[in-house]
Amino acid sequence: MASTHQLVTFQLGEELYGINIMDVKEIVRVQDIRAIPNAPTYVEGIFNLRSEIIPIINLHKRFHLKKLVSSEEDELLSGFVILDIDGMKLGIIIDRISRVITIEREDVQPPPQMLSGIGAEYIQGVVRQEQGYLIILDIRDLFNPKELQKIAELRR
């Protein structure tokens, strides 16, 4: 097992999050999203990426997070992270893309019991940084199989 892994980091509200770079297909600027009737509340809608229909998930709604009060620079750095969860592509809205970082596996600590917003069951671990914590999300645990099924059906 590798002793380091690469994470794509981004900001949601006040917190910095990271996801495994292998789960990230690409990062795209904010596009027009078409709302879908009867979709779960955290599904913002769908958008067309090079003729592929991608459901867009709003983690702010999913976890009741405050949106980042954004400056013009933040607006330029906001967008969608397109994820590939076992062959299904979906996008998550981010407030601000940060950077790709490499972390040492031994620097990853178990999540503290109470992190603001996102429940510990969705978190692989945290890495202490100068500015606080980097929270590593486990994208496969963000949605249960039923939810993934529902999201997959939206693409039709």
Side-chain angles (χ1 to χ4, degrees):
M1 194 112 117
S3 62
T4 64
H5 48 205
Q6 286 192 302
L7 301 173
V8 173
T9 63
F10 56 90
Q11 205 161 351
L12 273 182
E14 298 296 309
E15 303 284 354
L16 190 63
Y17 294 92
I19 42 186
N20 187 324
I21 197 167
M22 299 310 287
D23 294 326
V24 175
K25 281 297 205 220
E26 61 187 296
I27 297 158
V28 295
R29 297 186 57 101
V30 172
Q31 314 270 330
D32 283 336
I33 302 174
R34 207 173 80 224
I36 307 174
N38 305 323
T41 53
Y42 57 84
V43 176
E44 206 60 29
I46 54 175
F47 91 105
N48 189 325
L49 179 67
R50 295 184 293 279
S51 3
E52 192 170 5
I53 302 300
I54 310 276
I56 298 297
I57 308 300
N58 186 327
L59 292 181
H60 298 91
K61 287 181 183 171
R62 168 101 183 163
F63 299 114
H64 311 290
L65 300 172
K66 285 190 177 83
K67 250 182 119 31
L68 182 68
V69 180
S70 53
S71 65
E72 220 168 281
E73 180 194 358
D74 292 331
E75 293 292 318
L76 295 172
L77 294 170
S78 69
F80 309 140
V81 174
I82 308 298
L83 303 173
D84 188 329
I85 301 179
D86 303 325
M88 184 176 107
K89 287 192 186 131
L90 55 87
I92 56 172
I93 298 172
I94 58 169
D95 288 336
R96 181 185 180 134
I97 191 67
S98 188
R99 58 200 170 116
V100 173
I101 62 168
T102 301
I103 57 166
E104 298 292 328
R105 209 170 279 279
E106 70 257 14
D107 292 341
V108 178
Q109 302 165 353
Q113 279 312 298
M114 201 40 239
L115 269 174
S116 59
I118 293 185
E121 65 270 26
Y122 306 115
I123 298 172
Q124 259 177 349
V126 294
V127 178
R128 188 183 295 272
Q129 296 190 308
E130 290 165 25
Q131 322 83 318
Y133 285 103
L134 166 66
I135 301 166
I136 304 170
L137 294 178
D138 185 340
I139 64 157
R140 281 168 182 72
D141 287 343
L142 285 181
F143 308 99
N144 66 41
K146 259 195 183 117
E147 288 172 315
L148 282 175
Q149 181 63 45
K150 217 177 212 156
I151 293 167
E153 287 166 9
L154 299 174
R155 298 166 52 188
R156 297 193 180 95

